[in-house]
Structure formats: C-alpha cells, structure tokens
C-alpha cells in the first residue's frame, strides 16, 4: 500500500496533479516540495486567489485537501525521506547554452533532483518521472541513484540499504483544463520494467480512473510517447495555420475548411482552430527535443520534418504582425494598439511562449505603443516576458479592456478569453481612434456584428 507520496516541483504540473491525487486518495499523504520559497508561500496562502497557478476547479480542491492529506513545503529532505513514491515534476526547458543549445532539454533540474533523492532516500522508493524527458533519461537518473546507494546509510546493515525503481508516468494535462484532464484522463501511461512497482502506481490511479485507460509500456516507449503526443498535436496546429494563409489568399474560409475536414472521423474535429500559433511551455520545447534526439541518432530527415512544425508556428506570428502593419497604412509608429490577452491560451495565467510575446516584440520594435489587458496575467509577468526588448515607456498594463482600448487605433485579440465575447463592442468603438481596427487572430468574435458597428475587421483565415 502506498501511504506517502512526495512530489518534487510545485509548478503547473506538480501542484494540480497532486491536488487531484489527494482528492481521490484520502488515505495517501502527499508532500509537494519546491526550492522556490515564494511559490510554496503562494500555495499555502490563505487567500485562494493568490495560488501560483490559476486553473478552473483548483481552488476548491486546495480548500478541501490542503492541511489534511496535501501539504506544500520547502522541506525537501523530509519529503523524500518519508516517501514510498517520489514524483519528479521539475521543469525541463530547452537548453540555452552549450551542447545542444536551442534544441536539447536542459536536464540540470532533473539531475539536481536525482542527487537530492540519492542523498535523502530511505528504504525502498519508487521514483516516478512525471516531467517530460528525452528518451533514456531514466538511465541518467538510475546512474545517479546507483552511484550513491549507500551514502549516508550504514552499509553493514542491509536493512538500511537504499533501493529504488524508476517508472515513467508522463503527464498529458493541458493548462486551462488541467483539473478536468486529470480527473477524466483519456489515458494514463505507465512505463517501466518492474511489474510490482508498475502495479503500485497503477493502483493510485485506479482510485478514480478506469483500469482500461491505463496503458503499460516499457520505459523508453513511455518517455518517447509523451514527446510524440505533443509533436502530433502541435503539427495539427501548424497544419491548419498554414492553410489559414491559403484561405486568406483564395477566398476559402478556415472555419469552413476545419469543419469539412474534421467531419472525417479519421482526421477528427479537435485541435483544428487556426490562431496566432501555439504557445505554452511544452509544444515548442518538446518538438525541439525530438528534433535533437533524431539528429543525435543520425535521422536528419526525421529531424527536418518535425522542425518545420516549429518554423511554421513562428511564421504565423510574423505573418500576423506584418499584416497588422500593412493594414494600418504601413506604419504603427506613434499608434496605440490594444492587446487583448497575454496568456498563451484562455483559462490559464501562464505566459510561457505565448504568441503575444513575439507579436508584441515586433510591434514595439516598429515603434507602436501597446496597452495590454489580460484577465489573469499580472503586470510583473509582462515585465518579465518583455525584459529583453528596449521598450520601457512604450507599453502600459491596463486593468480593463476599455482602459486598454481608449484612443487606440486597433485591438488585437490574441487569447480567446470568454469575457471578450461579453464586451460591449459598440461602446468600445466609440472610445477608439478612427478608423478603428479589430485583428481577431482566433476568429473569436462575430466579425459581421463588428463590421456593422463600423470596425474594420481582419480575422485569421478569412479572405
Ligand atoms: P514549472 O516551471 O511550473 O514547475 C517546476 C517547479 O520545479 C518549479 O517551481 C521549480 O522551482 C521546481 N524545481 C526545480 N528544480 C527543483 C529541485 N531540484 N527541487 C525542488 N524543486 C525544484 O514547470 P511545469 O509546467 O510544472 O512542468 C514540469 C514538467 O512537466 C516539465 O517537464 C514539463 O515539460 C512537463 N509538463 C508540463 C505541462 C504543462 O502544461 N505545464 C504538461 C505536461 C507535462
Ligand atoms: C499541451 C498538450 O495539449 C498537453 O497534452 C500536454 O500535456 C502539454 O502541452 P497546453 O500547452 O497546456 O497542453 O495547451 P493546449 O490546449 O495543447 O494548447 C497549446 C497551444 O495551442 C495554445 O497556444 C493554444 O491556443 C493553441 N491551439 C490549440 C490552437 O492554436 N488551436 C487549437 O485548435 C488548439
């Protein structure tokens, strides 16, 4: 019976995933630990609006479980010592320097995590890779744990020997729907060699997941499947975005094309919404990792094929930025543009790799003044995302959509926040400079009603 779980990494995956396990397994005590004191403070905040991660449904579970069987702490040693199972949920971003820079995953956080586990491990522990990792990372973790199996323990006393098994259990949640995805997953993937440990991990999930949805594979298939799942999803977005440009040139309409092709069950109707390109911390990083792995194994055609998905994504963002300029009489210098949405998708406060960053950067460099409004993103996050551009004084953080649009020449809808649908667009039109433009990169607002108000409207994938 698993009694104690430790999750290392209290981020977008560690926090929500452990919250859902805690809710469904009241008999298991869970410690979520992190080196980031501020993050842990925020998880422990009495004001649930201050949790570090915004996800619909998360606050309710934290309210129910925190302080009972779910604890957030910086005491990594204690968490590891007590654990029967350790989930590694630390970040694995793309390497910025050195060998493989720009492609390979930076595994320094994984390594430091493995070293912490090696140091504090007690008895037999199942170490679970929850982070997304390059294939064969389990071998690295095993090497680190193997080499320090006896450190800190009495080697003469066999009962104090530290033993472990490594299991891969990648996470497939999408931000914005994380709680629902965790509560009702399409599948749970468990990869490993040790049947006993696999069954222990499976038992945790069986508390709320249909056993038929639990897929067991070997370690390497599990690690690779996670990268491939993200690559396939991202590929669909680049595919539909490439066609959006063709629609704009030919008179076809992207939503009609999406509907027509999506009606074919073999294609399916999900993930066919054209937009400003995919953002988020996962797709780009995981494809680049796949590209790196393919090159490493000498499979250059495979690498080139997948890299094109990332290239099209950037191209779509550049395309949107340049057509904004084109439509605003070829210049945005001294013009005010209101950016609606900074998170990479709706229902999350996460801004990592948000298309808004790239598009804003280009507009700021063209001399535009930008105002940002996002229902969940804080000013400090925008400061952080734009810190490498010389644009101080050229952008403003706004608390409402109307404040952002006051006197603006254009509104750019870059994130599909539900509340944008409820804006009184006729009132917004009245406070903008004319001609007033809407650039709807998500086909989110009814363009005919906007045109009737008097707006000039551009929507992605429409002539
Ligand atoms: P994150 O940056 O939000 O959280 C990672 C946390 O790990 C941070 O709070 C960091 O302080 C902590 N950390 C790093 N090293 C540590 C150490 N040695 N000891 C203790 N804490 C440490 O990252 P995330 O978005 O939660 O992603 C985590 C992993 O899950 C990544 O591999 C990612 O690719 C994968 N993943 C993410 C998502 C997603 O939607 N965000 C979905 C599926 C999988
Ligand atoms: C993704 C995967 O979906 C998830 O399974 C994995 O665990 C982590 O990576 P996430 O990045 O959180 O999740 O969100 P997702 O819903 O996949 O959206 C990613 C990006 O694609 C967003 O910028 C979104 O706006 C964009 N997108 C998505 C589109 O542009 N069109 C679509 O049809 C779907």
């Amino acid at each position: 019976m698993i009694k104690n779980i430790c999750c290392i990494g209290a981020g977008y995956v560690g926090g929500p995933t452990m919250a859902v396990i805690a809710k469904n397994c009241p008999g298991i005590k869970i410690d979520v630990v992190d080196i980031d004191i501020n993050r842990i403070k925020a998880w422990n905040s009495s004001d649930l609006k201050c949790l570090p991660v915004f996800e619909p449904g998360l606050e309710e579970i934290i309210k129910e479980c925190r302080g009972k069987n779910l604890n957030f702490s910086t005491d990594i040693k204690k968490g590891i010592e007590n654990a029967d199972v350790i989930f590694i949920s630390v970040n694995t971003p793309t390497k910025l320097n050195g060998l493989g820079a720009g492609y390979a995953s930076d595994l320094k956080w994984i390594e430091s995590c493995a070293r912490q586990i090696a140091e504090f491990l007690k008895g037999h522990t199942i170490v679970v890779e929850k982070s997304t990792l390059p294939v064969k990372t389990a071998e690295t973790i095993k090497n680190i744990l193997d080499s320090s199996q006896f450190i800190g323990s009495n080697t003469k006393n066999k009962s104090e020997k530290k033993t472990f098994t490594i299991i891969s259990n990648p996470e497939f949640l999408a931000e914005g729907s994380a709680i629902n995805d965790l509560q009702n997953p399409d599948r749970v993937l468990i990869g490993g060699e040790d049947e006993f440990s696999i069954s222990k991990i499976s038992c945790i999930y069986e508390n709320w997941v249909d056993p038929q949805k639990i897929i067991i594979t070997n370690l390497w298939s599990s690690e690779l499947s996670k990268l491939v799942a993200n690559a396939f999803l991202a590929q669909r977005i680049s595919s539909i975005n490439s066609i959006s440009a063709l629609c704009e040139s030919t008179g076809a309409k992207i939503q009609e094309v999406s509907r027509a092709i999506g009606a074919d069950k073999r294609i399916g109707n999900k993930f066919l919404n054209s937009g400003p390109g995919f953002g988020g911390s996962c797709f780009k990083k995981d494809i680049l990792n796949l590209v790196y792995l393919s090159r490493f194994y000498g499979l250059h055609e495979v690498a080139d094929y997948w890299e094109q998905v990332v290239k099209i994504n950037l191209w779509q963002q550049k395309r949107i930025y340049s057509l904004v300029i084109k439509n605003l009489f070829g210049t945005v210098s001294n013009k005010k543009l209101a950016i609606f949405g900074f998170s990479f998708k709706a229902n999350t406060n996460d801004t990592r790799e948000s298309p808004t960053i790239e598009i804003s950067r280009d507009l700021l460099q063209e001399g535009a003044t930008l105002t940002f409004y996002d229902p969940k993103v804080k000013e400090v996050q925008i400061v952080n995302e734009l810190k490498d551009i010389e644009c101080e004084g050229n952008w403003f953080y706004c608390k409402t959509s109307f404040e952002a649009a006051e006197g603006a020449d254009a509104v750019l809808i870059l994130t599909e926040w539900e509340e944008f649908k409820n804006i009184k667009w006729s009132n917004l039109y009245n406070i903008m400079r004319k001609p007033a433009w809407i650039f709807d990169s998500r086909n989110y607002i009814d363009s005919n009603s906007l045109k009737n108000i008097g707006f000039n409207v551009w929507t992605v994938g429409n002539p």
Side-chain angles (χ1 to χ4, degrees), residues 79 81 136 147 320 348 357 406:
E81 278 176 356
K136 297 280 180 186
S147 62
I320 290 176
T348 175
I357 301 169
E406 176 93 53

Side-chain angles (χ1 to χ4, degrees), residues 171-175 226 230 233 237 271-273 275 277-280 282-283 344-345 416 442:
E171 185 46 61
F172 294 99
L173 68 80
E175 289 180 28
K226 173 64 201 179
N230 275 355
L233 289 168
I237 300 169
F271 256 68
L272 286 178
N273 292 325
F278 55 78
C282 294
F283 282 171
F344 77 96
K345 63 186 277 197
E416 73 289 23
R442 302 252 183 192

